[in-house]
Amino acid sequence: MLRVLAVDDEEPALGELLYLLRADPRVRTAEGAGDATEALRRIGRALETGPDGDDGIDVVFLDIHMPGLTGLDVARLLAGFARPPLVVFVTAHEGFALQAFDLKAVDYVLKPVRRERLAEAVRRVHDLVHATAPAAPAVTSGPAAPEQVPVELGGVTRFVSVDDIAYVEAHGDYARLHTDHGSHLVRIPLSTLEERWAARGFVRIHRSHLVALDRIDELRLDGGATSVRLGDTDLAVSRRHARHLRDLLMRRAGG
């Protein structure tokens, strides 16, 4: 059973979260902290006594916006320890999801918290706690898991693999991820994804589009205009990006 620390500076929200956690049969203990400083003090005791000690913590349910250190700050500090507790973010703001998962968060739950949604987060933590301990050598020696993007749909977080994304379309401060099975709108600027995914083979072809280089089937030149085809989709390539794209494609074709 799980030992949980919930952190939220709003007392009603913390009380409701603790009530729901304590009602879950997979949770052995659920304690609360009203700010990051108190949370770090408790986590410090847990790390000193070790995972089997009386003060052990398996997972921290973290609010993001708190006075002083934010939940993201706490998660960054925890990432520096050898065996930190798992982290689940519980927040009213969906715009920090990508940062949260860059920090290896297990889940990202939006407020107001629904019992069913929280139970799904607890299940993920429970499965990880019980699955990773005996299989740790196999996990560390195997290939890294593909990067995933959390997409919130009706209170349920779905994880879209970056490898499944053919291209991304800009929508102001949002971006629409296009896969073979549909599209998903996320609150991440296209410029941020361009920087993060350059090493994964994504290239900017237009101020509105970022594409996976290996998904391009055709490069077309028509009367000075350049476009690419990805499956059944045609996308325009701006003059600014056309030469660079052609060079990348020729380099790839040449092995």
Side-chain angles (χ1 to χ4, degrees), residues 45-179:
R45 289 202 306 266
L47 293 173
E48 285 177 5
T49 59
D52 299 322
D54 294 336
D55 294 317
I57 297 172
D58 297 308
V59 58
V60 183
F61 282 75
L62 268 176
D63 187 21
I64 287 183
H65 283 296
M66 295 184 291
L69 293 175
T70 69
L72 294 172
D73 293 329
V74 173
R76 290 188 187 100
L77 289 171
L78 293 182
F81 291 93
R83 297 184 63 184
L86 300 174
V87 171
V88 172
F89 285 101
V90 183
T91 177
H93 306 275
E94 64 180 24
F96 297 97
L98 193 61
Q99 295 179 55
F101 283 90
D102 279 347
L103 291 169
K104 310 302 181 186
V106 175
D107 209 340
Y108 191 90
V109 180
L110 289 177
K111 297 178 180 178
V113 178
R114 296 185 297 109
R115 183 187 298 270
E116 297 81 3
R117 180 66 184 87
L118 187 64
E120 171 63 16
V122 172
R123 181 196 64 77
R124 288 176 179 165
V125 172
H126 184 271
D127 289 350
L128 280 173
V129 168
H130 289 278
T132 55
V139 172
T140 55
S141 62
E147 182 179 346
Q148 295 181 315
V149 182
V151 178
E152 195 75 21
L153 297 171
V156 176
T157 304
R158 180 172 299 171
F159 299 92
V160 177
S161 172
V162 175
D163 294 340
D164 292 335
I165 298 170
Y167 69 97
V168 186
E169 183 180 5
H171 283 267
D173 290 336
Y174 290 75
R176 184 169 292 280
L177 313 177
H178 292 267
T179 73

Side-chain angles (χ1 to χ4, degrees), residues 179-191:
T179 73
D180 295 335
H181 308 292
S183 66
H184 308 278
L185 193 65
V186 294
R187 191 171 183 175
I188 310 169
L190 194 68
S191 57

